[in-house]
Amino acid sequence: MAQDPDQIGKYQIVELIGRGGMGAVYKAFDPAIRRHVAVKVINKESFDDADRAYILSRFRHEAQAVGRLVHPRIIAVYDYGEDGNFTYMVMELVQGKSLYEHLKQGATYDLREVSEIIRQLLDPLGYFHDQGVIHRDIKPSNILINIDGRIKLGDFGIARIDSSELTKLGEVLGTSYYMAPEQFLSTEVSAIADLYSVGVIAYELLTGQKPFVGPTAIVMQKVLNEAPRAPTQLNTLLGPGLDAVILKALAKRPEQRFASAREFSEAFREAIDAALNKGSVAAEATAVPPQAAGGLARAARVLRATEPSTAAAPAARSAAQPAAARGGKKARILFVDDEERILTALKSVFGPHYQVYTTVDGRQGLDFLKSNPVEVIVSDQRMPEMLGVELLREAKQIAPQTVRILLTGYSDLAAIVGSINDGEIYRFISKPWDNKDIQRIIAEAATIAFALASMPAKPAEMPAKMDESILVVDDNESIFRATREFFSPTCNVRYAKTMKDALRVMQEQAVAVILADVETGREDNTPMFKLLKQEFPQILTIVMTRNSDSELVIDLINQAQVFRFLNKPVNLKLLQGHMQAALARFASFKQQPALLSQHKVEAAEQVRASSSGQMILSALKSIGSRWFRPSSN
C-alpha cells in the first residue's frame, strides 16, 4: 500500500499497527459509537487479476468465520465492507502484544503461567470447534495478550467452516513449525489439527524450543517421520506427566491425540499441578499471594474439620438473611474478585449473616469448590487469570446445584452471553451495587440453593417423546423449518410470526420451549418474555437477535431468566444443542417441580401495569389449567 489512507468507510484512521504481505492493520476511530477499533485493510489494486478474487474470497471468509462467533477469547469482528479500492474488516482493538512478540523479546513463563496461557487458548478452540470452525493456523503471532494478561485469538484467514468449500484438498495452509502432519499431506483436516498446534506452542513455552526447526522441507520431513524429544530432556522440572500429555498432543495420527480441547486442557492442567508438587523449586515458581490462596486454603481445612454453626437467629429476620436450613447452619458464599477492596466490602455486608469465603484467584476458588460445599458463588467478570464467565461455567460442572451470580463493573456482551449459555447464572449484578438489592438477591440465591441441595441430583435427559410443543416466533420461517426437521420426532413444532399469533398458539397447546426473536414485525417481545416467566416459570425461552445490546441481555437475565441466547444468523448446530438442553430441562421440571425455584425472576411491575402488559397477562391467564404448573407446596 503506497500511502496510508486517512479514512476507510466511516472509520477515521489513527495510526498504522502493522503491515503484511496482503495488507495492513490500522488503529481507527468509529465516530458513530465513539470507540477505537482495529481495521484490517486490503488494497485490491495490489494483486493481479488471477489472485485478486481468491484473496478477497479468503478475506470475506475470515469475516464470516469470526463474525458468527461470540466468545471473550476471540477478537470480535464488528463490520465488513468496501470503500473504493479498499476491502476492509473492522475488529475489536486489543491493547497488548502477540505471544510471538513477547517470546521474541526474551519473555519466559513459569509453569503456572504456561498452564494459564494454554488454558486460555484451548477454551476458545473448544468453543468454535463446537460451532464447526477450524482455525488451522494457531501460532504465537495469532495469539494476542492483552495488557491485563487475557488472551485473544485472532487471524482466522484460513479457517474452515463446515459448510465452506473455499478450502479444497491439496492446499497446504498454515505455518510450518505449528502444522499438524495431515496439513502437510494436504488431506482432510479436522479440529484435532488445531490441538496439535497448541501442543507445539506448549512444548515451546515449557522448553524454550520448538519440537522441530529448519527450512519448511526439513520441518515437514521431521513432523511426518520423527518423534520430538521428550520435554523433560530439555526442562527437568517438568516431570513424566507433562511428557505424556505433550507427546500425545503431538502424535502423528489424529486419532492418537486428544479428542477435544477440553480433554487436552484438563490433562495439561493435571500434569502441570503434578509438576508443581514435584519439588520446592517448582513450588516456589507458583507461589501465590497469601490473600489469594492461604486464606481460602485455611478456610477449606477449617470447613472440612467442622461445619460452621451460627448463633441463635433473632426473632425478626432481616431481608438479607436466608431461611434457616441444614440444622440452622449458615449459608456459605464464595466471592471471587481480583480486587481486595471489593472482597473486604462484600465481607462487611455479608459476614454477619453468612459463612463467607473469598479469593482473588479463580483457579483457587474452583479447587476450593471441588471439596467444599457452597450454596452461592459470586464472581467478578474482568479478572486477569480467569474471566468470571469461565469460572462460573466450570463451577456449574463441579457443583451444579450451587447458585451462580456474575458481579461486574462493565457490560461485555460476549461475557454476558457466555454467562447465559455456559454458566446458567441466576442473576447479573452491576458494580457499584446497591446494598439492599445485593442482599435481597443473595438471600434468594441461598434459599434456592438450600432447596436444591435437599433433592437428589438427576441428570437432565431429553425425552424420546413429549406432549408439549416447541413454539418458534420469527418473521422468517426458515428457523421454524430447521427446528421442525430436528425435533418433529420428539414433539410438535409450531410457528408464529408475531407474539399475538404466539399467544393464540399457546391457547391451543401447551408449550415447553419458545424460540423467539427479540423483535418481530417491529414489535418488542421482551415484555412477553418477562411476563411469561412470571406466570409460567417452567417454559424455557431461547432468544434470538441481530442486535448487540448488552443492557438488553442483562435485563433478560434478571427479569426473564432467558435459558439461552443466539445471535443471528443462527448457527443451526448451536441451535440444536441449545434446544436439546431446553427440552431436557423442561422434562426435569416435570419430574422435580422444586427445580423451578432457580427460575424466579424480579417482578416487572412497570411491564405488568402497561397496556401491552395487561393484554399479554389477560391472554396468559386464559391459558389456564391446560398447562403443567409447579406445585404450590
Side-chain angles (χ1 to χ4, degrees):
M1 200 175 292
Q3 184 177 355
D4 294 328
D6 296 323
Q7 185 162 331
I8 297 288
K10 68 176 180 178
Y11 303 97
Q12 300 165 4
I13 301 302
V14 176
E15 61 182 349
L16 177 70
I17 295 175
R19 197 184 301 278
M22 289 179 58
V25 180
Y26 297 96
K27 178 180 179 181
F29 182 70
D30 182 348
I33 55 177
R34 303 194 64 79
R35 70 175 172 188
H36 284 98
V37 295
V39 181
K40 184 186 288 189
V41 179
I42 286 180
N43 187 338
K44 291 182 280 189
E45 290 189 337
S46 299
F47 306 97
D48 59 33
D49 293 341
D51 294 332
R52 186 181 300 118
Y54 179 77
I55 290 169
L56 293 178
S57 293
R58 285 218 168 277
F59 195 56
R60 189 182 310 111
H61 177 78
E62 178 179 3
Q64 292 170 344
V66 189
R68 67 187 180 94
L69 302 176
V70 180
H71 193 283
R73 300 288 184 212
I74 297 173
I75 297 174
V77 170
Y78 301 139
D79 195 7
Y80 175 86
E82 296 190 10
D83 184 2
N85 290 325
F86 299 121
T87 299
Y88 63 89
M89 177 165 42
V90 184
M91 305 175 295
E92 172 186 4
L93 181 65
V94 178
Q95 301 291 342
K97 297 186 295 186
S98 70
L99 178 59
Y100 170 80
E101 291 174 291
H102 283 286
L103 293 173
K104 188 176 180 180
Q105 293 169 4
T108 58
Y109 302 94
D110 63 35
L111 294 185
R112 185 64 72 190
E113 290 170 328
V114 174
S115 178
E116 188 60 25
I117 289 170
I118 298 302
R119 184 192 65 79
Q120 290 192 48
L121 180 54
L122 287 168
D123 185 57
L125 278 173
Y127 165 76
F128 62 73
H129 288 167
D130 288 343
Q131 315 313 308
V133 177
I134 306 167
H135 192 289
R136 306 202 311 167
D137 196 20
I138 303 294
K139 58 185 178 183
S141 59
N142 289 338
I143 301 166
L144 299 183
I145 302 179
N146 214 328
I147 54 176
D148 62 5
R150 291 178 297 138
I151 276 179
K152 292 276 188 176
L153 183 59
D155 202 343
F156 287 70
I158 61 172
R160 185 179 71 81
I161 307 176
D162 276 350
S163 60
S164 170
E165 295 184 358
L166 183 61
T167 302
K168 304 294 185 181
L169 293 182
E171 289 183 292
V172 179
L173 297 171
T175 303
S176 60
Y177 297 132
Y178 304 95
M179 285 169 58
E182 58 269 29
Q183 289 178 276
F184 282 111
L185 294 172
S186 303
T187 56
E188 184 68 27
V189 173
S190 71
I192 307 302
D194 284 345
L195 303 187
Y196 180 97
S197 301
V198 177
V200 176
I201 292 171
Y203 189 105
E204 185 174 4
L205 293 175
L206 291 169
T207 68
Q209 300 181 26
K210 299 178 182 68
F212 305 113
V213 294
T216 298
I218 298 299
V219 172
M220 175 180 176
Q221 187 273 328
K222 291 181 177 180
V223 166
L224 293 175
N225 300 299
E226 295 184 15
R229 296 175 64 189
T232 51
Q233 296 180 22
L234 302 171
N235 182 350
T236 57
L237 295 178
L238 299 183
L242 275 168
D243 274 353
V245 169
I246 297 298
L247 295 178
K248 180 173 181 177
L250 299 179
K252 304 299 182 190
R253 298 169 59 184
E255 64 270 20
Q256 294 175 339
R257 301 178 209 144
F258 293 102
S260 69
R262 176 176 290 275
E263 182 186 351
F264 188 177
S265 183
E266 291 175 354
F268 190 75
R269 183 171 65 83
E270 290 175 1
I272 287 283
D273 289 342
L276 290 171
N277 293 327
K278 201 178 81 163
S280 59
V281 175
E284 288 173 5
T286 61
V288 293
Q291 63 267 34
L296 194 62
R298 186 164 53 253
R301 290 194 295 271
V302 172
L303 187 60
R304 285 193 291 270
T306 174
E307 285 282 332
S309 61
T310 182
R317 179 180 291 112
S318 73
Q321 294 172 276
R326 292 184 181 174
K329 296 184 176 70
K330 291 182 180 180
R332 292 154 292 202
I333 309 174
L334 172 61
F335 290 105
V336 185
D337 197 297
D338 62 333
E339 294 187 65
E340 282 287 356
R341 63 181 181 84
I342 297 293
L343 296 176
T344 299
L346 290 167
K347 281 188 283 189
S348 70
V349 172
F350 293 99
H353 305 299
Y354 300 83
Q355 188 68 36
V356 175
Y357 306 98
T358 64
T359 180
V360 297
D361 186 312
R363 186 58 61 186
Q364 292 285 340
L366 291 173
D367 289 342
F368 178 82
L369 195 61
K370 289 176 182 177
S371 53
N372 302 281
V374 169
E375 277 69 48
V376 182
I377 178 169
V378 183
S379 175
D380 183 26
Q381 167 59 12
R382 196 167 189 170
M383 299 180 292
E385 296 296 324
M386 172 182 282
L387 293 179
V389 63
E390 298 170 357
L391 185 146
L392 294 176
R393 181 180 60 201
E394 293 196 34
K396 175 190 166 188
Q397 301 297 322
I398 295 168
Q401 291 179 306
T402 295
V403 179
R404 299 168 294 280
I405 295 172
L406 192 67
L407 175 65
T408 185
Y410 79 119
S411 301
D412 181 294
L413 180 64
I416 298 165
V417 170
S419 70
I420 300 175
N421 293 347
D422 300 327
E424 291 189 9
I425 69 165
Y426 174 66
R427 287 288 187 272
F428 183 104
I429 302 175
S430 297
K431 294 178 182 177
W433 61 80
D434 178 276
N435 272 349
K436 287 185 179 179
D437 284 344
I438 196 171
Q439 287 172 344
R440 171 183 53 80
I441 292 169
I442 294 292
E444 292 172 356
T447 304
I448 290 168
F450 278 139
L452 294 177
S454 64
M455 295 185 297
K458 295 182 179 179
E461 295 181 1
M462 192 180 82
K465 196 75 177 174
M466 59 191 299
D467 297 328
E468 296 82 5
S469 63
I470 295 169
L471 175 56
V472 180
V473 187
D474 196 17
D475 292 330
N476 191 311
E477 290 190 40
S478 60
I479 296 296
F480 160 67
R481 289 194 292 268
T483 305
R484 183 176 59 185
E485 183 178 345
F486 286 141
F487 294 101
S488 57
T490 301
C491 61
N492 192 16
V493 181
R494 302 291 300 273
Y495 173 71
K497 197 166 188 177
T498 68
M499 273 301 174
K500 288 182 181 179
D501 296 336
L503 286 167
R504 286 193 287 270
V505 171
M506 286 188 284
Q507 289 173 341
E508 300 171 4
Q509 184 175 7
V511 172
V513 183
I514 293 180
L515 170 65
D517 200 327
V518 170
E519 185 178 65
T520 50
R522 297 186 178 180
E523 179 183 8
D524 179 12
N525 293 328
T526 56
M528 175 66 172
F529 299 147
K530 295 175 182 179
L531 295 177
L532 184 66
K533 182 56 67 172
Q534 289 182 27
E535 297 298 314
F536 295 96
Q538 72 274 24
I539 299 175
L540 294 145
T541 305
I542 300 175
V543 168
M544 304 178 290
T545 184
R546 292 183 185 276
N547 301 321
S548 299
D549 187 342
S550 58
E551 294 304 319
L552 169 65
V553 181
I554 292 170
D555 194 41
L556 289 173
I557 293 176
N558 290 343
Q559 295 196 12
Q561 274 293 297
V562 172
F563 183 67
R564 293 288 190 271
F565 184 92
L566 283 166
N567 283 309
K568 282 189 167 181
V570 171
N571 179 316
L572 294 182
K573 183 177 180 182
L574 196 60
L575 166 62
Q576 186 177 15
H578 288 342
M579 187 62 72
Q580 288 171 340
L583 293 174
R585 182 65 55 85
F586 182 85
S588 69
F589 288 161
K590 293 186 73 171
Q591 296 167 8
Q592 297 176 281
L595 290 172
L596 284 166
S597 61
Q598 299 173 86
H599 286 250
K600 180 179 179 180
V601 292
E602 299 172 2
E605 297 299 343
Q606 187 174 356
V607 175
R608 295 181 75 91
S610 67
S611 57
S612 61
Q614 289 293 311
M615 183 275 293
I616 294 169
L617 282 170
S618 176
L620 290 175
K621 291 183 186 299
S622 70
I623 292 171
S625 60
R626 288 192 298 276
W627 287 43
F628 141 65
R629 284 183 179 270
S631 170
S632 59
N633 295 335

